[in-house]
Amino acid sequence: MNKYKDIFYWIIIGCLLFVYLQQTHSFYFYYIEQIQLFSFSRTYAIDTISQPGGLSLYISRFLVQFYYLPYWGAIITTLLLLLTGILTKKILDTISGSVFTYFLSVLPLFSIGILHLNADYSIQGTVSYLFVLLLLLAYRRIKSLPWRFIPVFLITPFLYIIAGPVCYLFALSVFLLEVLLRKENWYFSFFLFPFLFLIGWLSVRTGFAGDYTVAFLPDAYVDPLVSIPEIYYAWYALPGSILAGFYLRRFQHITVRMEWIFFFIQLIVLSVLLYWVALSYTMHPVVKKNYLLDYYISHEEWDKVLSEYDPEIGNYQTKNMVYLALAKKGQLGESLFHYRAREWNDLFLPWNNSMRHAFMLSDLYYHIGVIPSAQEMAFEAYVASN
């Protein structure tokens, strides 16, 4: 019965996530695909993997290239988030058989899902998080109690190499489980933190990690030029779910009827939570419009760029794309002032050292034939995206 309940639950959550992402962020995924690079070459693979979290970065960029295909951005994001929730629930089920693990398991899912709506977040963070959940589940399956810390001390540096600073989240989760369950030799878990601190310190001192932020903090998974406070939510959600799951064990012995009642209550609450997230993190109309126009420009559909233009919804970037479309159609001279051109920035974005402006300026310079400047901006965009 629980098996079918799980399937039903995750199908509902998956459908809600996919519909929301596809309806509100379909052109956003095309944009994300453009600002990340993946190359099927040995040199690229070696250069990418030979850094802290390199394997998760390589996998994430491999996945992002499929965002170019219709619907695949929403599909891949939905699957990544569902895997996060399913693995979290499996971990919680090893601690507690409570029906409330359904609700607790989606706390990491939603906290990571919010990050996917931010263009400055790399899905490397989600892939790394999945590595943590997989290894944490494997740790929970270890039967030999006296020797279970040997693989843990081997896993953590390995996790640091393939996934980056999420190894500290893994160590914190293991420590929390050991303290709560108090199994044999649980006090060995205290040695995890100085051990990991030594690994991070050595990686910075030897040049393996660029700085202490990359070595220790989840900020390693966002654009270094911006700050995203939500990046810490997922690191709070997993330990919080484990802690709550432990104390909710008392509800594992309830009647089948009450179990189903609690199940549907959680499903309703989660639907409301998703609706709240959808309202709270609604994409700004100007940003949404720019993603749409950027998609049409990348496919050289100039008429659609002009037909989608709304003078009430736009900024410098919007006008840059509209005037580029007019230039490509040979109508810029006669139609320039029909689109409210008032200053130089309407034609060319001001260069502010950001990745988004670099991409836009690179396209503009390329289409008007200023190749050296296009190459310069393309280089700036590549550096910023890496």
Side-chain angles (χ1 to χ4, degrees):
M1 182 63 72
N2 285 336
K3 178 182 177 181
Y4 295 110
K5 191 190 301 179
D6 287 356
I7 293 173
F8 172 74
Y9 179 80
W10 293 117
I11 287 177
I12 294 296
I13 296 297
C15 290
L16 290 173
L17 285 172
F18 174 77
V19 170
Y20 167 70
L21 292 171
Q22 182 60 31
Q23 290 297 316
T24 61
H25 288 72
S26 55
F27 291 99
Y28 164 81
F29 292 118
Y30 295 125
Y31 174 79
I32 295 298
E33 187 275 331
Q34 291 185 68
I35 65 175
Q36 294 197 41
L37 172 69
F38 181 83
S39 174
F40 278 104
S41 68
R42 184 176 181 180
T43 302
Y44 175 80
I46 293 174
D47 289 344
T48 304
I49 294 174
S50 59
Q51 55 182 297
L55 180 60
S56 63
L57 179 60
Y58 187 83
I59 293 172
S60 68
R61 289 182 175 174
F62 173 80
L63 293 174
V64 166
Q65 67 177 326
F66 295 104
Y67 282 16
Y68 182 80
L69 303 174
Y71 302 104
W72 276 93
I75 290 172
I76 291 172
T77 304
T78 299
L79 290 176
L80 289 173
L81 296 177
L82 281 180
L83 277 174
T84 302
I86 291 169
L87 291 174
T88 303
K89 187 176 186 306
K90 286 186 175 295
I91 292 168
L92 294 176
D93 285 342
T94 65
I95 308 168
S96 167
S98 170
V99 69
F100 291 105
T101 55
Y102 286 103
F103 177 78
L104 297 175
S105 63
V106 298
L107 296 181
L109 183 156
F110 274 110
S111 58
I112 291 177
I114 290 170
L115 294 171
H116 277 264
L117 307 181
N118 193 318
D120 295 314
Y121 171 73
S122 169
I123 70 166
Q124 177 197 7
T126 305
V127 176
S128 300
Y129 205 91
L130 288 173
F131 275 127
V132 169
L133 296 175
L134 283 169
L135 293 175
L136 199 59
L137 185 61
Y139 154 76
R140 291 294 298 151
R141 300 292 172 87
I142 297 175
K143 302 299 182 182
S144 179
L145 291 179
W147 303 104
R148 68 190 180 281
F149 284 110
I150 294 178
V152 169
F153 277 91
L154 294 175
I155 284 172
T156 44
F158 171 73
L159 186 58
Y160 179 75
I161 293 171
I162 67 170
V166 289
C167 64
Y168 299 100
L169 177 61
F170 173 78
L172 177 61
S173 301
V174 170
F175 172 77
L176 190 59
L177 287 168
E178 291 294 332
V179 170
L180 291 173
L181 299 176
R182 296 293 180 96
K183 293 185 177 180
E184 186 178 353
N185 297 331
W186 66 272
Y187 47 84
F188 277 106
S189 60
F190 283 97
F191 293 104
L192 278 172
F193 294 104
F195 176 64
L196 282 175
F197 177 81
L198 178 63
I199 291 174
W201 181 80
L202 286 175
S203 69
V204 175
R205 299 296 294 177
T206 58
F208 183 56
D211 54 42
Y212 288 105
T213 298
V214 175
F216 289 101
L217 300 176
D219 298 86
Y221 306 114
V222 301
D223 188 327
L225 298 179
V226 300
S227 176
I228 305 178
E230 292 88 349
I231 191 68
Y232 289 89
Y233 293 174
W235 283 38
Y236 302 148
L238 182 58
S241 297
I242 291 173
L243 191 63
F246 176 79
Y247 287 107
L248 288 173
R249 291 188 301 174
R250 67 188 69 177
F251 292 100
Q252 58 186 330
H253 301 297
I254 58 177
T255 64
V256 175
R257 180 184 178 185
M258 289 302 299
E259 194 171 306
W260 277 101
I261 291 174
F262 283 132
F263 172 78
F264 281 108
I265 289 174
Q266 290 176 90
L267 199 56
I268 293 170
V269 170
L270 290 173
S271 300
V272 173
L273 181 60
L274 179 60
Y275 180 71
W276 173 82
V277 170
L279 292 179
S280 302
Y281 291 88
T282 301
M283 189 180 296
H284 194 281
V286 173
V287 176
K288 190 173 184 178
K289 176 68 71 175
N290 287 346
Y291 286 144
L292 174 63
L293 298 183
D294 182 78
Y295 173 78
Y296 288 144
I297 283 179
S298 66
H299 289 75
E300 299 190 356
E301 299 182 35
W302 310 116
D303 289 326
K304 289 186 177 180
V305 173
L306 297 177
S307 65
E308 288 290 341
Y309 174 66
D310 182 348
E312 302 302 324
I313 304 176
N315 55 13
Y316 288 144
Q317 185 177 355
T318 314
K319 289 191 174 182
N320 276 202
M321 291 188 279
V322 169
Y323 294 137
L324 174 60
L326 287 171
K328 297 300 292 185
K329 287 176 64 63
Q331 301 174 6
L332 182 60
E334 62 190 61
S335 303
L336 177 63
F337 294 104
H338 295 170
Y339 290 84
R340 301 184 182 181
R342 296 172 180 172
E343 54 183 300
W344 175 253
N345 290 337
D346 288 340
L347 292 172
F348 284 93
L349 281 170
W351 171 230
N352 64 355
N353 296 318
S354 72
M355 179 178 61
R356 298 182 187 186
H357 283 206
F359 271 108
M360 187 68 238
L361 288 170
S362 176
D363 282 343
L364 286 172
Y365 286 130
Y366 172 77
H367 282 291
I368 66 176
V370 187
I371 304 303
S373 295
Q375 291 175 330
E376 179 189 0
M377 288 296 103
F379 175 75
E380 295 287 352
Y382 172 75
V383 171
S385 65
N386 285 275

